[in-house]
C-alpha cells in the first residue's frame, strides 16, 4: 500500500470455550502507530465467532519506511487471559518520492554575477539523488550548482549554492532583467521498474519550477553620465569664455596701472614708478650722494640726476631703515629740505621678517595710515595727485614692535626690522 492511503483487512475471532467470553483486540508491532481494530472488543457465546476490521493508514512521511512490515493483533480473553493469541501477517508499504525546494532570494542585482541559495529537503521515504536543471530563454546566462547532485536520506535537508553569471557587462543605460527557472529532478540509485520510473517522471513533471530573476545593473549609472556631462560643459565654458575674459581683464588692468604711473621725467600729475632701495632716483639736493640735509639717521635720500619735472622739480626718493626692539616703539623720519616742497606719489613698506606690531605713517601733521605688521610682507600705496609736504616738514614712520618675526635664515630675529621708501617730486619753492 502507498503511504497516505487507507487499506483494510479482517480477522475472525471464534469462542471455542464452554462459557461466554469477551475478547480485547490490539494491534502490536511496527504497524501499531497507524493501525486500528474495529471494534476493539467483542463478546462471544460458546461456539460462535465474529469478524473484526483492521484499518491501516500509514502517513505520508519520511518516517514511514518502505518494505514488508509485520502486523500482529493480540487477542486477549477476559476470563482466560492465559489463552492469549497473536495472529500475524505482513503489510507491504510502497516507496514514495517528494522533494521540497526553496530558493532565496528570488531576485538578485549585480554587475556580472549573482549568488542564490537553495534549500532542498527529501520528504519521501527513500534515499534520493537530487539534480537541478536551469532554464532560460536565451544563452546569456551561465549556471553553476555546488554541490551539483547531493544525495539525501529520508527527511534530510541540504543547502546548495547557485551562481549565475552573464557573458557581457552593461556599461550604460537601464538595468537588464534576466528571468530564468530552476527545476529540481530526483532519482534513486536502486533499480526501478518501468512503471515506477514513469510514475516518478510524471510526479516530477507536475512539480512547478522556481521562477527567479537576475537584474544586471550598468557599470556606470545614469547620474554619473550627467555629472560627467556637466563637468565637460564647465571645462568648455572655462576655456572658451571665462579664461579669455579673465586674461583680458587682467591685461587691461595692468595696462591702466602702467599708464597711470609718472614718466621718468617726474611730471607731478602722473604716478611715480619709485621702488625700494634698488629703484631710488633723484637726489633732492641736486647730486650729492651723501645724507640728505634735515633727514634722520634712518632716512637715506635717493641719488639724483636722471630726471627733472617740467616745473623745475626733480624725481626723488628716500628710504627709512628702521629697527625696533621687541616691546618698544621707534620712529624714523625724512625731513624736507629748506626752500623745497616734496610732492609724494608713492610709498612702499617692507616687512620682510614677518614682524608683529603696528606701523603708523605720518606726512607732516597728517596721519596717512596705520597698518598691523602681521597682515603684510610688502605693502605699497600710489597717488595720481601728489601729497605735498612743505619745507622742514617730515615724513615719519613709527613702529611699535610686539614680536619680531623670522627672516629667511630660519632664526627668530632679536628686533623688528622695517624698510620704508617714499618717492615723489622735490621742487624748489619760488621766492
Amino acid at each position: 500500500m502507498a503511504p497516505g492511503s487507507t487499506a483494510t483487512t479482517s480477522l475472525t475471532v471464534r469462542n471455542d470455550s464452554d462459557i461466554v467470553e469477551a475478547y480485547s483486540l490490539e494491534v502490536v508491532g511496527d504497524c501499531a502507530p497507524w493501525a486500528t481494530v474495529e471494534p476493539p472488543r467483542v463478546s462471544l457465546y460458546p461456539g460462535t465467532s465474529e469478524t473484526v476490521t483492521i484499518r491501516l493508514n500509514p502517513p505520508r512521511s519520511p518516517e514511514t519506511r518502505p518494505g514488508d512490515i509485520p502486523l500482529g493483533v493480540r487477542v486477549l480473553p477476559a476470563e482466560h487471559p492465559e489463552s492469549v493469541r497473536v495472529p500475524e501477517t505482513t503489510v507491504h508499504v510502497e516507496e514514495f518520492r517528494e522533494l521540497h525546494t526553496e530558493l532565496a532570494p528570488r531576485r538578485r542585482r549585480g554587475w556580472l554575477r549573482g549568488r542564490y541559495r537553495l534549500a532542498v529537503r527529501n520528504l519521501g521515504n527513500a534515499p534520493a539523488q537530487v539534480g537541478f536543471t536551469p532554464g532560460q530563454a536565451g544563452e546569456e546566462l551561465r549556471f553553476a550548482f555546488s554541490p551539483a547532485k547531493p544525495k539525501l536520506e529520508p527527511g534530510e535537508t541540504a543547502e546548495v549554492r547557485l551562481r549565475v553569471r552573464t557573458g557581457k557587462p552593461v556599461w550604460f543605460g537601464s538595468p537588464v532583467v534576466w528571468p530564468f527557472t530552476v527545476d529540481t529532478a530526483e532519482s534513486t540509485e536502486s533499480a526501478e521498474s518501468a512503471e515506477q520510473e514513469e510514475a516518478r517522471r510524471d510526479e516530477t513533471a507536475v512539480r512547478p519550477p522556481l521562477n527567479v530573476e537576475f537584474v544586471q545593473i550598468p557599470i556606470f549609472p545614469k547620474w554619473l553620465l550627467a555629472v560627467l556631462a556637466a563637468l565637460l560643459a564647465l571645462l568648455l565654458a572655462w576655456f572658451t569664455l571665462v579664461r579669455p575674459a579673465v586674461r583680458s581683464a587682467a591685461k587691461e588692468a595692468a595696462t591702466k596701472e602702467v599708464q597711470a604711473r609718472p614718466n621718468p621725467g617726474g611730471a607731478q600729475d602722473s604716478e611715480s614708478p619709485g621702488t625700494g632701495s634698488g629703484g631710488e632716483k633723484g637726489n633732492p639736493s641736486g647730486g650729492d650722494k651723501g645724507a640728505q640735509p634735515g633727514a634722520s639717521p634712518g632716512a637715506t635720500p635717493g641719488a639724483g640726476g636722471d630726471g627733472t619735472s617740467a616745473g623745475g622739480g626733480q624725481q626723488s626718493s628716500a628710504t627709512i631703515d628702521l629697527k625696533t626692539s621687541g616691546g618698544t616703539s621707534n620712529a624714523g623720519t625724512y625731513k624736507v629740505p629748506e626752500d623745497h616742497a616734496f610732492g609724494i606719489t608713492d610709498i612702499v613698506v617692507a616687512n620682510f621678517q614677518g614682524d608683529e606690531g603696528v606701523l603708523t605713517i605720518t606726512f607732516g601733521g597728517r596721519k596717512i595710515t596705520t597698518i598691523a605688521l602681521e597682515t603684510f610682507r610688502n605693502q605699497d600705496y600710489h597717488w595720481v595727485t601728489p601729497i605735498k609736504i612743505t619745507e622742514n616738514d617730515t615724513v615719519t614712520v613709527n613702529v611699535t614692535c610686539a614680536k619680531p618675526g623670522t627672516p629667511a635664515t630660519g632664526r627668530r630675529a632679536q628686533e623688528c626690522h622695517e624698510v620704508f621708501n617714499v618717492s615723489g617730486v622735490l621742487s624748489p619753492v619760488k621766492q
Side-chain angles (χ1 to χ4, degrees):
M1 64 177 302
S5 62
T6 302
T8 59
T9 185
S10 61
L11 174 67
T12 301
V13 181
R14 181 180 177 82
N15 183 7
D16 291 331
S17 66
D18 53 357
I19 62 173
V20 177
E21 185 67 90
Y23 299 93
S24 298
L25 297 97
E26 181 183 6
V27 178
V28 295
D30 295 339
C31 297
W34 39 269
T36 57
V37 180
E38 299 175 359
R41 182 183 177 87
V42 294
S43 297
L44 299 175
Y45 288 101
T48 61
S49 62
E50 184 174 346
T51 300
V52 297
T53 301
I54 302 173
R55 190 175 300 276
L56 305 173
N57 189 15
R60 189 178 178 85
S61 169
E63 286 74 19
T64 305
R65 297 305 171 92
D68 293 332
I69 301 176
L71 171 64
V73 180
R74 182 173 58 190
V75 182
L76 180 62
E79 300 297 331
H80 300 283
E82 68 278 1
S83 301
V84 62
R85 296 289 185 272
V86 182
E88 294 182 356
T89 186
T90 59
V91 177
H92 180 75
V93 178
E94 299 176 355
E95 292 183 358
F96 77 95
R97 304 182 184 281
E98 183 175 349
L99 201 64
H100 180 72
T101 306
E102 293 182 355
L103 186 144
R106 291 295 184 95
R107 184 183 179 94
R108 176 71 80 180
R109 296 168 60 89
W111 285 317
L112 289 175
R113 61 180 63 89
R115 297 177 182 271
Y116 305 82
R117 296 189 308 275
L118 289 90
V120 186
R121 185 179 182 185
N122 183 11
L123 298 180
N125 62 352
Q129 190 87 24
V130 182
F132 306 96
T133 304
Q136 194 224 345
E139 298 181 354
E140 293 83 3
L141 301 181
R142 300 292 182 269
F143 304 90
F145 296 89
S146 178
K149 293 184 177 181
K151 182 179 180 180
L152 302 178
E153 295 295 326
E156 185 180 3
T157 301
E159 184 173 302
V160 179
R161 294 183 298 274
L162 168 60
R163 287 173 293 184
V164 178
R165 180 182 176 89
T166 60
K168 297 181 180 179
V170 176
W171 295 104
F172 303 99
S174 302
V176 179
V177 180
W178 302 106
F180 64 94
T181 60
V182 176
D183 193 11
T184 305
E186 54 181 329
S187 63
T188 59
E189 294 183 348
S190 59
E192 295 179 328
S193 64
E195 293 80 2
Q196 290 175 327
E197 177 68 19
E198 186 65 26
R200 183 183 64 81
R201 288 181 179 178
D202 293 342
E203 183 180 359
T204 304
V206 298
R207 183 183 300 114
L210 300 174
N211 296 313
V212 197
E213 287 184 347
F214 174 63
V215 181
Q216 186 178 7
I217 58 178
I219 302 296
F220 300 105
K222 290 183 178 180
W223 62 264
L224 181 59
L225 293 178
V227 171
L228 292 177
L231 290 177
L232 182 59
L234 289 176
L235 288 176
L236 292 176
W238 168 259
F239 283 106
T240 58
L241 300 176
V242 180
R243 188 179 180 186
V246 171
R247 279 187 165 182
S248 177
K251 185 176 181 180
E252 182 179 353
T255 303
K256 288 182 179 179
E257 180 70 18
V258 172
Q259 292 176 352
R261 288 176 176 262
N263 294 325
Q268 290 188 3
D269 58 348
S270 301
E271 265 192 326
S272 170
T275 61
S277 59
E280 299 171 356
K281 294 183 180 181
N283 190 327
S285 63
D288 188 3
K289 295 183 180 180
Q292 172 69 30
S296 69
T300 304
D306 60 344
T308 60
S309 68
Q314 293 180 331
Q315 186 71 26
S316 179
S317 66
T319 300
I320 301 174
D321 194 318
L322 189 60
K323 296 183 179 180
T324 310
S325 300
T328 64
S329 298
N330 193 13
T333 61
Y334 163 72
K335 185 177 181 180
V336 180
E338 292 184 3
D339 300 329
H340 286 78
F342 195 20
I344 300 174
T345 57
D346 304 272
I347 59 174
V348 178
V349 185
N351 178 20
F352 56 89
Q353 293 185 163
D355 302 326
E356 297 181 12
V358 178
L359 182 144
T360 302
I361 303 172
T362 305
F363 292 172
R366 291 176 292 176
K367 181 185 293 186
I368 300 303
T369 184
T370 298
I371 317 172
L373 293 175
E374 56 268 21
T375 61
F376 73 97
R377 287 298 180 98
N378 288 283
Q379 186 80 346
D380 60 299
Y381 297 89
H382 310 279
W383 294 273
V384 175
T385 302
I387 300 176
K388 292 188 177 182
I389 305 177
T390 59
E391 57 181 340
N392 297 322
D393 276 345
T394 60
V395 176
T396 304
V397 179
N398 187 284
V399 174
T400 300
C401 178
K403 180 180 177 182
T406 303
T409 59
R411 295 183 178 180
R412 183 176 295 278
Q414 299 297 320
E415 55 188 0
C416 296
H417 189 183
E418 279 66 48
V419 178
F420 177 82
N421 179 270
V422 58
S423 61
V425 179
L426 187 65
S427 305
V429 178
K430 295 180 180 181
Q431 299 296 331

